[in-house]
Amino acid sequence: MLKIVSGDITKISVDAIVNAANTSLLGGGGVDGAIHRAAGPELLAECRMLHGCKTGQAKITKGYRLPAKYVIHTPGPVWNGGSRGEEELLKSCYESCLKLAAERGCRTVAFPSISTGIYRFPLEKASAVAVRTILSFCQSHPEIEEVQMVCFDERTKGFYDSALQKENILHIEF
Ligand code: ADP
């Protein structure tokens, strides 16, 4: 099941939250900074041992002081006009995170809106890719019981709500 919610991802009690990281995995602004502040310095210490992560891939750590058991770090693509494989890379972020979550036995996962902040990915496109990818992964992996998209502002939530509505309509028609 996919739920679109408003809130702060650092406060969500799920098996794994996803961090919209950068390729260094050494912290940054936006949701990345908030997750590191809330998890405490042990998170950065574990991240240092991972030696970075490529765009579209994912790596997992413990959640330390967060209510979530794990953090899955994924560097999203920077939007460069759309002709540099940005949509495929964003899809790969969601898939890589869900795959890691399933391998670790996670049943509940929460995502932020990857790439739509500092990385400037247009929300309409990003929300369609996110919703479609999550729904299709969960169909073939029933062990993932619930995925939450945690929107930090109402504008973002509006886009994810309509992306989910569109997917639901498509599924009824086919
Ligand atoms: P990126 O570099 O991938 O664009 P950002 O962190 O700049 O990542 O933004 C991604 C999204 O995360 C934006 O919608 C931003 O508003 C949101 N965000 C920022 N802080 C939080 C938080 N604490 N919980 C959930 N989402 C957050």
Side-chain angles (χ1 to χ4, degrees), residues 83-103:
S83 58
R84 299 198 190 167
E86 291 95 329
E87 293 200 44
E88 271 310 304
L89 286 167
L90 188 62
K91 179 179 177 203
S92 169
C93 285
Y94 284 94
E95 278 175 349
S96 306
C97 290
L98 289 167
K99 197 162 164 263
L100 260 183
E103 281 167 13

Side-chain angles (χ1 to χ4, degrees), residues 60-72:
I60 191 164
T61 64
K62 288 187 276 185
Y64 299 98
R65 298 177 202 174
L66 291 165
K69 187 170 178 201
Y70 297 110
V71 180
I72 300 174

Side-chain angles (χ1 to χ4, degrees), residues 7-10 20-21 29-32 34 112-120 150-153 156:
D8 175 349
I9 202 164
T10 65
V31 71
D32 194 2
S113 175
I114 299 168
S115 284
T116 68
I118 299 161
Y119 285 178
R120 306 181 315 271
V150 184
C151 304
F152 203 50
D153 57 84
T156 300

Side-chain angles (χ1 to χ4, degrees), residues 109-160:
V109 182
F111 282 94
S113 175
I114 299 168
S115 284
T116 68
I118 299 161
Y119 285 178
R120 306 181 315 271
F121 206 117
L123 256 171
E124 179 150 18
K125 284 190 167 55
S127 56
V129 168
V131 164
R132 205 175 298 144
T133 308
I134 293 167
L135 289 177
S136 116
F137 188 94
C138 291
Q139 258 177 356
S140 52
H141 295 78
E143 67 272 25
I144 305 269
E145 291 166 5
E146 187 176 279
V147 176
Q148 296 185 44
M149 273 300 320
V150 184
C151 304
F152 203 50
D153 57 84
E154 284 309 306
R155 180 172 173 265
T156 300
K157 183 165 186 295
F159 278 97
Y160 282 88

Side-chain angles (χ1 to χ4, degrees), residues 31-52:
V31 71
D32 194 2
I35 288 173
H36 276 275
R37 277 194 298 278
E42 297 94 336
L43 178 61
L44 183 58
E46 187 176 354
C47 283
R48 282 191 203 286
M49 298 190 297
L50 299 176
H51 306 294

